[in-house]
Amino acid sequence: MSQAIDTIEDEVVLLDEDGAPIGRAPKSAAHGPDTALHLAFSCHVVNALGEVLVTRRALGKQAWPGVWTNSFCGHPRPAEPLVTAVRRRAEFELGIELDALELALPLFRYRATDADGTVENEICPVYLARTSSEPDPNPREVAEYRWVDPAELGRAVAAAPWAFSPWLVLQARQLELFS
């Protein structure tokens, strides 16, 4: 497991309304009450049994702490290919290697405000991945995890959307994985 803590703060890629890069900002400065549009990604990981991995965000997370969400999310660094960023975050957050990776929702975009006023404002391509690894989560990122039946997760998200991250709720409506 390689869950080293970066000593250099990550930067996010700032975007214009059309999704074109226009700059960069420290990740910590890019999330607040007036969050600029920036590039991110989400990933849903499936195991050999067809179960999807859901995680509960660590209680120390700035936005949506303790909320159940998709397998993992992140931000590519400036000039970092999205696929490289997805694989990097899978290792960092969950201690897993991805066996396969597919872009499922290339144009997913959302804006949501957490109870503390933190705003997410992202163009966030969504990936589906397969793994044969069992997670060994980084406790700074993940409080707990479960492998669940995708259709059951889809029903739970539809029945109680308030119990999940807003991006998972929106993605579940668009992904065939949860039907």
Side-chain angles (χ1 to χ4, degrees), residues 60-93:
K61 297 289 281 183
Q62 178 183 358
W64 287 273
V67 172
W68 284 95
T69 191
N70 59 296
S71 306
F72 66 97
C73 296
H75 303 87
R77 296 171 174 147
E80 180 181 34
L82 271 168
V83 170
T84 302
V86 172
R87 291 184 182 283
R88 172 178 54 81
R89 288 303 293 187
E91 177 65 27
F92 178 76
E93 287 194 31

Side-chain angles (χ1 to χ4, degrees), residues 36-102:
L37 182 63
H38 61 278
L39 184 59
F41 61 82
S42 284
C43 188
H44 299 269
V45 179
V46 178
N47 66 15
L49 300 174
E51 299 166 318
V52 65
L53 180 66
V54 291
T55 60
R56 190 165 72 88
R57 292 169 62 83
L59 296 176
K61 297 289 281 183
Q62 178 183 358
W64 287 273
V67 172
W68 284 95
T69 191
N70 59 296
S71 306
F72 66 97
C73 296
H75 303 87
R77 296 171 174 147
E80 180 181 34
L82 271 168
V83 170
T84 302
V86 172
R87 291 184 182 283
R88 172 178 54 81
R89 288 303 293 187
E91 177 65 27
F92 178 76
E93 287 194 31
L94 296 168
I96 62 172
E97 289 185 28
L98 303 177
D99 300 331
L101 191 58
E102 169 192 347

Side-chain angles (χ1 to χ4, degrees), residues 48-164:
L49 300 174
E51 299 166 318
V52 65
L53 180 66
V54 291
T55 60
R56 190 165 72 88
R57 292 169 62 83
L59 296 176
K61 297 289 281 183
Q62 178 183 358
W64 287 273
V67 172
W68 284 95
T69 191
N70 59 296
S71 306
F72 66 97
C73 296
H75 303 87
R77 296 171 174 147
E80 180 181 34
L82 271 168
V83 170
T84 302
V86 172
R87 291 184 182 283
R88 172 178 54 81
R89 288 303 293 187
E91 177 65 27
F92 178 76
E93 287 194 31
L94 296 168
I96 62 172
E97 289 185 28
L98 303 177
D99 300 331
L101 191 58
E102 169 192 347
L103 182 58
L105 299 174
L107 302 176
F108 181 76
R109 180 178 180 164
Y110 77 102
R111 187 179 191 283
T113 305
D114 194 8
D116 75 349
T118 300
V119 174
E120 286 285 8
N121 187 16
E122 300 178 335
I123 292 179
C124 184
V126 179
Y127 288 84
L128 298 178
R130 295 210 170 267
T131 190
S132 53
S133 303
E134 188 62 27
D136 183 12
N138 180 336
R140 294 173 49 118
E141 300 290 331
V142 177
E144 59 185 303
Y145 72 91
R146 298 280 182 275
W147 291 104
V148 298
D149 176 85
E152 288 179 18
L153 178 60
R155 287 190 292 275
V157 167
W162 47 265
F164 299 93

